[in-house]
Amino acid sequence: MDLKELKEEVFRANLELVKRGLVIYTWGNVSAIDREKELIVIKPRGIEYDDMVADDMSVVDYEGNLVEGKLLPSVDLDIHIEIYNAFEEVGGIAHTHSTWATAWSQANKGIPVMGTTHADHFYGTIPCVDYLSKEEVQGEYEKNLGLAICKAFEGKNPLEMGAVLAAGHGPFTWGKDADSAVEH
């Protein structure tokens, strides 16, 4: 897939968040990675979904440096980078502040399996990463949250769960590409 196609995929996946009622305002983002070119495409920060076009997507290298685009990447970029670095199988990540998942996150509770639909998509309780320390929050918050998410999945196949809640923040989901990340 070329970069233009990847930007289009990420753009459409971001619009799917709106269509599914998973975001309000500008609060949410989807990214995808091109591991061969070592590039990440992500929704830019602060842009209204209704005003966005595929060419607005931010293209960054693995260190988060903007390599294409006029708009700064999402403030959550460092979380995405840490997940991509830790999980070679992951090709797309979605983050929202959806009402119900965020409520579980605020309560610092994992979401237990309570039905077949959950069991069809997730193999067990969706974990909730604990609140970060004051030092982690005041330091590199996004990087530290990404590291905490990755630590929670040590020794596990990240594609078997594909989701995590971050206490005090919200849900992150992932999959083999941007579309599957949103589907979770």
Side-chain angles (χ1 to χ4, degrees):
M1 177 181 301
D2 71 17
L3 190 55
K4 181 177 176 149
E5 292 171 319
L6 191 59
K7 287 169 69 174
E8 183 66 34
E9 176 186 320
V10 170
F11 167 68
R12 284 192 323 269
N14 274 284
L15 293 183
E16 190 67 22
L17 295 179
V18 176
K19 182 178 174 185
R20 292 181 186 210
L22 298 173
V23 295
I24 60 170
Y25 306 118
T26 63
W27 304 343
N29 49 72
V30 178
S31 71
I33 190 168
D34 182 327
R35 292 189 185 275
E36 287 181 17
K37 294 179 182 149
E38 298 184 350
L39 296 172
I40 298 168
V41 177
I42 191 166
K43 178 187 173 283
R45 67 180 72 174
I47 190 169
E48 296 287 340
Y49 291 92
D50 291 342
D51 299 335
M52 194 170 61
V53 297
D55 281 339
D56 289 329
M57 298 302 101
S58 299
V59 181
V60 300
D61 62 20
Y62 282 12
E63 286 76 46
N65 300 308
L66 189 65
V67 297
E68 184 177 312
K70 299 174 195 159
L71 303 171
L72 294 174
S74 167
V75 295
D76 295 314
L77 174 63
D78 287 344
I79 301 167
H80 291 240
I81 288 173
E82 292 303 326
I83 293 170
Y84 287 130
N85 284 340
F87 307 139
E88 185 76 22
E89 311 90 335
V90 172
I93 300 169
H95 168 57
T96 73
H97 290 267
S98 60
T99 302
W100 301 112
T102 300
W104 282 92
S105 299
Q106 300 302 319
N108 195 16
K109 302 281 185 192
I111 302 175
V113 180
M114 298 182 75
T116 58
T117 303
H118 180 126
D120 288 343
H121 293 279
F122 306 104
Y123 300 102
T125 297
I126 297 171
C128 187
V129 175
D130 206 359
Y131 287 98
L132 298 181
S133 70
K134 182 178 180 181
E135 293 78 20
E136 290 170 317
V137 170
Q138 291 177 341
E140 297 179 83
Y141 172 75
E142 287 79 12
K143 179 179 179 64
N144 290 328
L145 181 53
L147 291 170
I149 289 169
C150 295
K151 185 174 182 178
F153 282 83
E154 284 179 354
K156 299 175 184 171
N157 179 343
L159 294 181
E160 287 183 357
M161 178 54 64
V164 69
L165 302 177
H169 195 132
F172 289 83
T173 59
W174 51 78
K176 63 181 177 40
D177 56 26
D179 293 332
S180 62
V182 171
E183 193 175 299
H184 278 120

